[in-house]
Amino acid sequence: MDKVIVKSPLSGVIYPIEQVPDPVFSQKMVGDGISIDPVNNVLVAPFDGTVTQVHSACHAVTITHQTGLEVMMHIGIDTVALKGKGFTAHVKEGQEVKQGDELISIDMDLVATSAKSLLTQVILTNGELVADVVKANGLAEHAVTDLMTVTLKRDTGDGEKESGLEVLSEALVVPNPTGLHARPAAVLAALAKKFDARIELIKGEERVNAKSVVGIMKLNVAHLDKIQLRAIGPDSESAVAEILPQIAGGLGDEGTTPVSVPASTELSEDQTMVTGPKSGDPNLLLGVAAAPGIAVGKAVRVREEVFDFEEEADDAHHENVRLDNAIEEAKNYLEALQINLHKQSDGAKAAIFAAHREILDDPDLLDIARSLTAKGKSAEYAWQNAYTTLADQLAVLQNEILAGRANDLRDVGKRVLRILTGKEPEELQLPDVAILVAEELTPSFTATIDTTKVKGFCTTTGGATSHVAILARSLDIAAVAGIEAEALEIQDGTPLILNGGKGTLRINPSDELIRQTLEEQAAMQEQKEKDLAAAGEAAVTTDGKRMEVVANIGGVEEARESITLGGEGVGLLRSEFLFLKRTTAPTEDEQYEVYRDVLLALEGRPLIVRTLDVGGDKPLPYLPMPVEENPFLGQRGIRIGLERPEIFRVQARAILRAGAYGKIRIMFPMIATIQEFREARQMLEVEREKLGVAPIEVGIMVEVPSTAVMAEQFAKEVDFFSVGTNDLTQYCLAMDRGHPKLASKVDGMDPSVLRMIRQAAEGAHSQGKWIGVCGGLASDPDAVPILIGLGVDELSVSVPALPSIKAEVRNWSESDCRKLAEDGIHCVSSSEVRELVGNAR
Ligand code: PEP
Ligand code: MG
C-alpha cells in the first residue's frame, strides 16, 4: 500500500481538527486533517506535487500528490472575507512544487486582527483514497514535522454510476456574498456525496466534480455567478432536485439571503431535462416576491443606458474640473429632490436620495477617478470606471445591506455621467397599463415611475431587501425580483400578469385568466382600502375584547410610518438595528437623540425599547464577539449586557433620559432566569437614581422556554411580557431559526409553542400583568385568532401589516378565539392548527 507523508506546512501548536471552532472543519465536512495555530508566516508545500487550486482570496491552496492525494491548506477561519488582504500567493494553479517550497505568505498582524482565528487547517480533501491516517500532536516545525502519515487504499474507484438518466438543472445565481468558498463548498460536496450519480457543477465552459471540495473551490464561483448542475446516474433526478434549492438557499452560509434566484440557462436546447424551481410552463416565469399586488398589463422592456464618450483626454486638470462640476450639480439636484420629498412627507424616498448624496462625497470614488484622469483618461471614463469598480466591490461584501447598495452607487454614478455627457434620460413609451421588464432598475428611475400607467415591474436581478423593492412597496406597485432571464426576451406589448405576492410572471394569459385576475385584484384592492380606511380605528373583537396593535420598528422613519397605518405605539424597537451599519459604538447622547426622536414621532403613543440584542444571528460590527460553539445558546441578548455592564448602562441612561419626551418602557431580551432579570433591573435602577428621573415600566421578552414556564414567578417582578415567537419557536423545537433546511419547519403555530404562550399569558394575568407578542407570529393573520384565544393582550407587528392585522382582529369574537385556541393546543402539528383556523374562517 502507498504511504504519503504530509510534512507540516507551518510551525506552531497542533490541534485536533475536531476542536476548530467552525463546524465545517470540526465536523470534517471538508475532510479529515489537522489544525495548526501558526507561529511563522510562510505556508510551505507539505510534499512534492502540483498546485491544483489557489483560491482567489489567497487564503487557501491545494497541492495534489502524484498518487492523487489532495491536501488543502486553509489559513484561518472566515478569512475569505479578507478578500486577499494579508495574503501573498507565491504559486499559481498548475505549478509543480517541491516539499518545503513557499506557497503563501501571511501578514500575521493584519490577519490576526481581522479574522476570527488564525488556526490553519491541513485537510485530506479526497478521503475516499485514504485507508488510514496517523496524525502528529504537540508542536510542529514547518517542512520538518511529519504532520500526517497517510496510507492509501488500493482500490480508488469512486463507485459512481455513470450510466442512467442525465439531468441538467436550470441555471442558478449563487447568492453567497463570498461565493462558493470552503464552507459552502464543503456543504455542497457533502450533499453531492449522498448520491450515487456523478454530479458536476458547471460554470460557463468549466465543469468540476461536485463531490470534490477542491474541485468546487477551483471553479472560483463568485457572488452572483451563474452555475448549473449536471447529474448522470440512477438517482440523478433526486440529486438535482435536492441539491439545487440548497445552492439557491446559500448552503447555510452566513450573510446569504436564502432566496431562489433563477437565472437564464445558457446551455443548448438539446439537454435531457430541466428541473429545479422552474414552473415547467414556458409562459410562467418565477422570481422572488419583492412588493405585493397583482398587475395586469402590457410588457415594456427597459434597457440598460449606454453612454458614448472618448476614453482619452489631454488635460487632466480640465477633466478634474469638469468632473467636480458635474458632481456638484448632481449633489445640488439630489439635495433639492430630498427637500421636496420631505415636504411631501415621503421620508422613505428622501432617505434613499440622502444616501445617494452621501455617496458623492465618498473619497474612494474620487480617488479612483482622479488617479485615472491623471493617467490621461477623460472625466467620463474615469468616473464610470470608479463607480463601477466600487459597486462591484460592494456587491460581493458579506454585509447584505451594503451589497444591496451597489445598485444605488451605479444609479448615482449614471446621474453624474449623464451630466458629463449631456445625455437626457430616455423617455419610455408607455401603454395605458404597463409592466416593466428589466435586468436591473435604479432607485432614481423607480422613484420617478409614472404609476398612473406602470402597474408593476420585474427585474432579473435584485432581491426583496433592495432599495428598488422598498420603493415599489412605497409606490404601491407590484414587483418581482430575480425573475428568470427569459423575461428579457418578452416582446414589447405582450400581455402579462405579474403577481408580486407570489413572485410570478405569466406571459400571454388567456382572456379568461385576465378576467379572473382583474376580479381578484379588485377584491384585494377593495379589502386593502377597507383595512387602510379603518386603520385608525381600534382593533376590537366582535364581542368587545380590545387588542392593542402596535409596531415593530428599527428606526424613526418606521415610527412615523406606523402612525399613518394605524399603529397605536411601538411594541418593539429593535435598538440594535439603529446601529447596525456603525463601526464604533454609539454614544449615550447619540442613542438618547434617536429614542427622543422616535418618541416625538409617536406623538404620545407608548414606546418599548428593547435593550441591545446581539449575538447568535445578529453580529454588530463594533462589538466583536468571541467565537462560540453554540452562539444561540451562548453570549446573546441580555447576557451581553450583564457581561459588559458599560454597554448596558450607557443604553439604560439614554432610554431613561429620553423618557422626558413621552411614554417609554424598557424591555430586556433573552431573559432565561430570574437572576438575569434582577441583575439587569438593578443596574437600571442605579442609573435611574443617579439621573434622578421617575421609574419606568420594565418588561422582558419571553423567548426562552424556561421563562414561559416560570412566567407566574416572573410576573411578580416584571411589569409586562412580550413573547418573541421567533426565538421561542427555535428554542422550543430546538431548530435554528436561520437554518436553511429547517426554516420551513420552524413554525410558531406548533402546538408546543402555543402551549408555552398560553402558560406565559396565564402567568402574567395571575399577577395582573399584561402580555404581548412581538415575534413574527403576531404579523401572521392565521395566528391572530389563536393568539387572542390564548389570552394575549397586545400584538406588535411589522409596519405594513398594521391595517390588515387590525382588520383581522375585528373579524373574530373572543369566545370563538378561545375555543379555537383550546382546539389548537390539542392539535399535533402546526399544519393542523392552520387548517383549523382556515376552516373556522
Ligand atoms: C423574537 O425572537 O421573536 C423577537 C421578536 O426578537 P428577534 O427576532 O429580534 O430576535
Ligand atoms: Mg429574539
Side-chain angles (χ1 to χ4, degrees):
M1 279 199 217
D2 278 341
K3 273 201 194 320
V4 179
I5 307 285
V6 179
K7 293 278 184 190
S8 187
L10 284 168
S11 299
V13 182
I14 298 173
Y15 282 90
I17 194 86
E18 294 81 358
Q19 284 180 12
V20 175
D22 183 336
V24 163
F25 297 115
S26 61
Q27 292 169 15
K28 303 185 185 171
M29 292 165 86
V30 186
D32 196 5
I34 268 183
S35 183
I36 301 171
D37 196 0
V39 291
N40 69 323
N41 66 348
V42 184
L43 184 91
V44 300
F47 43 58
D48 296 355
T50 312
V51 179
T52 41
Q53 176 259 346
V54 183
H55 194 280
S56 55
C58 294
H59 68 300
V61 57
T62 303
I63 309 294
T64 303
H65 190 260
Q66 59 179 15
T67 56
L69 183 74
E70 291 170 350
V71 170
M72 178 166 86
M73 288 147 284
H74 188 286
I75 307 167
I77 309 256
D78 282 348
T79 35
V80 64
L82 299 179
K83 291 198 237 101
K85 271 198 229 123
F87 301 110
T88 311
H90 304 296
V91 287
K92 290 200 191 88
E93 279 176 17
Q95 190 174 326
E96 300 292 322
V97 287
K98 290 270 171 229
Q99 191 250 308
D101 281 357
E102 295 190 350
L103 301 176
I104 296 175
S105 294
I106 313 161
D107 179 339
M108 297 297 253
D109 287 344
L110 193 147
V111 180
T113 48
S114 323
K116 273 189 190 168
S117 162
L118 258 174
L119 279 178
T120 296
Q121 287 57 249
V122 184
I123 300 170
L124 310 169
T125 45
N126 47 358
E128 65 277 9
L129 305 189
V130 177
D132 183 44
V133 51
V134 178
K135 300 176 187 174
N137 52 35
L139 285 177
E141 192 179 336
H142 71 284
V144 174
T145 307
D146 290 354
L147 197 63
M148 289 183 274
T149 306
V150 182
T151 310
L152 299 176
K153 282 183 192 163
R154 252 185 232 290
D155 173 17
T156 57
D158 62 12
E160 280 177 349
K161 311 285 181 295
E162 286 268 3
S163 59
L165 182 66
E166 176 180 349
V167 178
L168 181 79
S169 80
E170 66 173 296
L172 262 191
V173 169
V174 171
N176 304 56
T178 37
L180 297 187
H181 60 99
R183 183 198 312 273
V187 176
L188 174 54
L191 276 170
K193 280 181 190 157
K194 289 195 327 198
F195 297 92
D196 286 335
R198 170 164 181 83
I199 305 171
E200 290 173 345
L201 185 70
I202 306 173
K203 186 183 105 176
E205 299 288 295
E206 292 173 88
R207 54 185 64 203
V208 295
N209 182 351
K211 295 179 184 175
S212 156
V213 179
V214 175
I216 298 168
M217 289 180 68
K218 254 182 92 174
L219 205 53
N220 254 326
V221 179
H223 182 50
L224 301 185
D225 271 356
K226 287 176 203 163
I227 53 94
Q228 282 179 293
L229 283 178
R230 176 174 168 271
I232 309 174
D235 49 5
S236 53
E237 268 182 281
S238 36
V240 171
E242 187 171 323
I243 300 171
L244 204 66
Q246 297 292 333
I247 301 176
L251 295 160
D253 212 359
E254 260 176 42
T256 302
T257 317
V259 290
S260 106
V261 188
S264 68
T265 164
E266 277 159 11
L267 292 194
S268 58
E269 293 296 298
D270 62 355
Q271 306 299 348
T272 40
M273 63 182 290
V274 171
T275 61
K278 262 200 154 161
S279 69
D281 173 348
N283 282 323
L284 183 65
L285 304 183
L286 304 182
V288 180
I294 301 175
V296 179
K298 300 247 164 75
V300 176
R301 176 85 159 82
V302 184
R303 286 167 208 284
E304 168 80 1
E305 212 173 340
V306 185
F307 294 91
D308 236 0
F309 50 77
E310 296 290 328
E311 185 179 325
E312 312 293 332
D314 301 331
D315 181 350
H317 175 70
H318 177 67
E319 295 306 301
N320 284 341
V321 172
R322 285 183 60 229
L323 182 57
D324 288 348
N325 289 346
I327 291 174
E328 210 44 47
E329 194 180 325
K331 277 190 199 166
N332 292 342
Y333 177 84
L334 285 168
E335 224 157 66
L337 188 66
Q338 198 190 328
I339 292 167
N340 230 341
L341 288 166
H342 262 308
K343 278 196 203 136
Q344 294 165 24
S345 302
D346 200 340
K349 267 196 228 166
I352 292 172
F353 293 110
H356 281 196
R357 160 84 184 63
E358 257 176 55
I359 289 173
L360 290 175
D361 283 330
D362 189 308
D364 281 355
L365 203 52
L366 283 179
D367 281 354
I368 301 174
R370 294 230 164 88
S371 70
L372 288 166
T373 49
K375 287 187 188 142
K377 299 293 178 192
S378 69
E380 289 86 346
Y381 178 90
W383 178 250
Q384 192 179 48
N385 206 290
Y387 75 74
T388 46
T389 304
L390 282 190
D392 292 348
Q393 280 172 10
L394 275 182
V396 298
L397 280 185
Q398 242 179 347
N399 181 327
E400 188 200 326
I401 297 166
L402 292 180
R405 297 298 90 96
N407 191 19
D408 292 276
L409 190 48
R410 291 196 191 98
D411 186 6
V412 78
K414 281 182 196 160
R415 184 181 293 283
V416 174
L417 208 48
R418 244 180 259 121
I419 297 170
L420 278 169
T421 55
K423 182 176 187 288
E424 293 292 330
E426 280 148 29
E427 282 271 322
L428 278 184
Q429 297 306 317
L430 294 172
D432 285 348
V433 265
I435 293 174
L436 307 183
V437 181
E439 208 160 335
E440 188 173 54
L441 293 179
T442 60
S444 309
F445 177 91
T446 314
T448 53
I449 279 176
D450 176 359
T451 52
T452 60
K453 291 185 170 169
V454 177
K455 299 301 169 199
F457 64 78
C458 57
T459 55
T460 55
T461 58
T465 55
S466 66
H467 267 154
V468 170
I470 294 169
L471 280 167
R473 292 194 283 269
S474 88
L475 293 168
D476 208 13
I477 61 175
V480 174
I483 195 86
E484 292 174 50
E486 282 87 337
L488 301 178
E489 285 150 31
I490 298 171
Q491 297 295 316
D492 279 359
T494 308
L496 300 174
I497 298 178
L498 183 79
N499 189 325
K502 290 196 183 140
T504 58
L505 180 71
R506 164 73 59 187
I507 307 165
N508 280 322
S510 65
D511 289 349
E512 176 55 15
L513 187 60
I514 292 183
R515 193 189 55 74
Q516 275 175 14
T517 308
L518 288 173
E519 271 174 26
E520 206 182 311
Q521 194 185 32
M524 270 174 62
Q525 187 55 28
E526 203 180 318
Q527 187 58 48
K528 203 169 157 189
E529 277 164 20
K530 266 198 211 151
D531 293 351
L532 192 61
E537 290 165 27
V540 185
T541 61
T542 53
D543 52 358
K545 157 104 178 167
R546 164 134 198 199
M547 294 294 289
E548 202 170 321
V549 182
V550 288
N552 289 348
I553 64 164
V556 185
E557 274 309 320
E558 276 186 304
R560 292 202 185 100
E561 205 189 334
S562 73
I563 304 304
T564 63
L565 295 175
E568 297 168 337
V570 166
L572 170 65
L573 167 60
R574 286 184 163 102
S575 62
E576 62 280 359
F577 279 20
L578 296 169
F579 309 112
L580 272 184
K581 288 191 214 160
R582 295 185 53 124
T583 48
T584 54
T587 63
E588 181 184 323
D589 279 350
E590 281 172 321
Q591 296 193 54
Y592 154 78
E593 281 165 22
V594 180
Y595 306 139
R596 178 199 61 196
D597 290 351
V598 172
L599 277 170
L600 292 174
L602 291 178
E603 298 167 346
R605 294 169 185 84
L607 162 68
I608 299 177
V609 182
R610 178 175 73 184
T611 55
L612 202 64
D613 183 21
V614 287
D617 59 338
K618 283 185 268 186
L620 263 192
Y622 64 82
L623 200 66
M625 231 95 56
V627 176
E628 290 189 289
E629 224 165 281
N630 292 303
F632 275 120
L633 304 180
Q635 293 292 58
R636 191 180 172 224
I638 195 66
R639 294 170 195 173
I640 302 241
L642 297 178
E643 209 204 33
R644 305 188 192 192
E646 69 291 357
I647 293 177
F648 180 90
R649 287 178 192 279
V650 164
Q651 185 170 30
R653 276 201 300 275
I655 294 170
L656 288 163
R657 282 172 55 202
Y661 292 87
K663 186 159 184 45
I664 205 162
R665 298 177 179 131
I666 192 167
M667 176 159 77
F668 305 144
M670 261 266 306
I671 291 281
T673 66
I674 283 274
Q675 287 72 17
E676 285 171 345
F677 171 70
R678 287 181 184 159
E679 265 184 66
R681 194 192 43 194
Q682 176 59 23
M683 281 202 284
L684 174 73
E685 189 53 20
V686 169
E687 296 311 314
R688 188 188 71 76
E689 277 174 8
K690 276 197 231 156
L691 287 168
V693 297
I696 61 173
E697 286 179 30
V698 185
I700 57 169
M701 298 277 294
V702 178
E703 41 189 358
V704 183
S706 60
T707 308
V709 171
M710 296 291 281
E712 191 180 332
Q713 278 76 2
F714 274 102
K716 293 178 182 154
E717 305 188 24
V718 309
D719 294 316
F720 63 91
F721 292 104
S722 189
V723 184
T725 50
N726 309 334
D727 277 316
L728 186 61
T729 309
Q730 81 161 344
Y731 292 130
C732 180
L733 297 175
M735 290 186 192
D736 182 339
R737 63 194 262 185
H739 195 292
K741 284 197 187 157
L742 300 174
S744 62
K745 297 186 183 141
V746 192
D747 186 349
M749 285 282 251
D750 193 279
S752 59
V753 182
L754 301 182
R755 281 171 187 250
M756 292 220 163
I757 300 175
R758 185 173 70 164
Q759 202 167 1
E762 285 171 356
H765 295 159
S766 74
Q767 305 302 318
K769 305 289 166 61
W770 63 268
I771 182 165
V773 172
C774 64
L777 204 61
S779 303
D780 178 345
D782 281 351
V784 167
I786 299 278
L787 295 176
I788 298 173
L790 292 173
V792 169
D793 304 293
E794 176 233 51
L795 298 171
S796 192
V797 307
S798 68
V799 173
L802 283 162
S804 60
I805 294 297
K806 285 181 109 175
E808 191 64 44
V809 172
R810 299 185 200 111
N811 282 339
W812 299 88
S813 75
E814 190 190 7
S815 58
D816 284 349
C817 291
R818 285 239 176 86
K819 282 194 217 97
L820 203 58
E822 186 58 32
D823 290 346
I825 61 168
H826 288 99
C827 285
V828 296
S829 65
S830 59
S831 44
E832 229 178 69
V833 180
R834 289 189 182 278
E835 205 178 312
L836 203 68
V837 177
N839 293 339
R841 281 194 187 281

